[in-house]
Amino acid sequence: METCTVKGGCPSDYIAIALSILSFTVLLLWSIFPFLVHKVPRTKGSGFWLPVIQVVASFNLLLSIVMSNNFLKMGKRHWLRSCYLWGVWVEGPLGFGLLLSCRITQASQLYFIFVKRRLPLIRSYIFLPLILLPWIAAGGVIHSMKPLSSRCHMKAQWTIPVVSLHSLYIAILVGVTAAVHHIEFRFDELKDLWRGILVSAVSIAVWVTAYILNEIYDNISWLEVASRFLLLVVASILVVAFFSISSSQPLLSQISLRRRESREFRTMSQALGIPDSGVLAQSEPISRIDPNEPLDKLLLNKRFRLSFMAFADSCLAGESVHFFDEVYELSKIPEDDCVRRIYMARHIIEKYIIAGVAMEVNISHRSRQEILSTSSLTRPDLFHNALNEIIQLMKTNLARDYWSSMFFLKFQEDTNVRSNEYELEQMTGWNFSPRLSSVHGIDDPFHQDHLLKSSGCSNDTTDL
């Protein structure tokens, strides 16, 4: 036991490593499951790369604990034994510090979007490095002062500053979470934030306890082996429980993570419970289309809009019609329902407005900046100017070709068929409606039916 305590390679070490590999595999499958199974298109921006950075930071954290705590049996002078590489840089700024910074970035986004009701003032790719700077500075100071022992244990006078840095970031995360706790989130954002705070606080408590025990009882070999086993197991639990995509991609979290539910939300309007969203209902009213009417008025008809959308998709220009459809769904949300309006507006911006996204709509730079720099995401006219530009673009590029396309002919045919079926149902319902006849006896054409019905009623009465 004493040999493997110093050199590494104890049976418990390999068990802990196996558990860490298993936890990271679960985390990796959890993060890529939507893209492999549901074929969800990759988004551009922080909604995609923040979860990716969390996965990388989780790997760094687990690997640094393995390499800096003598889990593997290696020579003391092997370059992979560098305490300052693994115990300072990879475990700190690139591991636990990066995990906490990602979660603080996500929490700050929720604060700006739902409390301030506007997009964050600082982009995530700038905000994240800024909030990570204290970790980088602390790593530089520790690397220059070299307070670590040959067994990668930190001296007592350095423990308090390091623990204080960890606690400071948890306190910041608690503060931002408390600032948004009154928001009635429609997804799991708040629950995930509190869960991240809990598991990170427990992890720091376990690490501090293990450090104190190792410093006080340095001569007890089994205690060191048990403490490093506990460190890696707790870190393995941390990386799985800490990971979250609900803050960055709330709709994706509903589609991919709740696999036990029979119902899956394919659109944000469905997830928000907007009335008459999603698949066309059979009870949708039937109305004939006049091509001479304005296009924006025709698009209010859901059957026509879906037909026009299919035509636009076939021309590889469907983003304009999809944008109109989602803005129309947004208009159904009451103005006093701020949370749902913010969810829908944020979804539209990330899907259609941000430059470079797959479904980016062709609007002017002025309209785009007007949306991105808005002071209120709940404004009823937030997408008004952009929508007018899109309608003019559809009139010019799509509408003329649609009237002579097979999509319009099929739409007309379906409309005629449904209209005829509706008229037939009305006539059928009239024929079998109850009626009174003034003709009696054999001259009554319904006489036979009356006899049959009368006999049936009399038989029932007799039986009674």
Side-chain angles (χ1 to χ4, degrees), residues 171-290:
I172 294 174
L173 185 57
V174 171
V176 180
T177 304
V180 300
H181 81 282
H182 64 283
I183 302 296
E184 296 181 0
F185 291 103
R186 303 283 296 191
F187 301 96
D188 300 326
E189 294 94 336
L190 189 61
K191 182 181 72 174
D192 290 348
L193 286 175
W194 286 122
R195 186 182 64 199
I197 292 171
L198 177 63
V199 295
S200 56
V202 170
S203 300
I204 291 178
V206 171
W207 293 341
V208 171
T209 302
Y211 168 79
I212 294 175
L213 291 176
N214 277 313
E215 289 299 318
I216 297 176
Y217 304 102
D218 191 32
N219 57 339
I220 303 179
S221 57
W222 69 265
L223 182 60
E224 182 175 353
V225 174
S227 62
R228 72 190 184 200
F229 173 84
L230 185 62
L231 281 176
L232 188 54
V233 171
V234 170
S236 302
I237 298 173
L238 166 69
V239 297
V240 176
F242 202 84
F243 180 77
S244 170
I245 61 175
S246 61
S247 300
S248 303
Q249 301 186 54
L251 180 60
L252 183 60
S253 68
Q254 293 296 302
I255 293 176
S256 61
L257 304 183
R258 296 184 176 183
R259 295 186 295 275
R260 294 181 181 179
E261 295 185 1
S262 57
R263 182 181 179 185
E264 292 180 351
F265 301 116
R266 296 298 181 182
T267 63
M268 179 60 77
S269 56
Q270 286 180 292
L272 295 177
I274 299 177
D276 300 326
S277 60
V279 182
L280 184 66
Q282 292 294 329
S283 59
E284 189 75 18
I286 302 170
S287 59
R288 298 187 183 277
I289 295 299
D290 183 5

Side-chain angles (χ1 to χ4, degrees), residues 288-289 291 303-304 306-308 310-311 398-418:
R288 298 187 183 277
I289 295 299
R303 294 186 184 275
F304 174 80
L306 292 179
S307 174
F308 194 75
F311 168 74
L398 291 174
R400 295 177 182 177
D401 295 332
Y402 173 76
W403 302 122
S404 58
S405 68
M406 293 299 297
F407 289 88
F408 177 60
L409 296 178
K410 186 176 184 301
F411 171 75
Q412 280 187 316
E413 181 182 351
D414 290 344
T415 302
N416 292 333
V417 170
R418 291 180 180 275

Side-chain angles (χ1 to χ4, degrees), residues 57-68:
S58 300
F59 176 78
N60 292 339
L61 178 61
L62 295 177
L63 182 61
S64 64
I65 293 177
V66 171
M67 301 304 298
S68 63

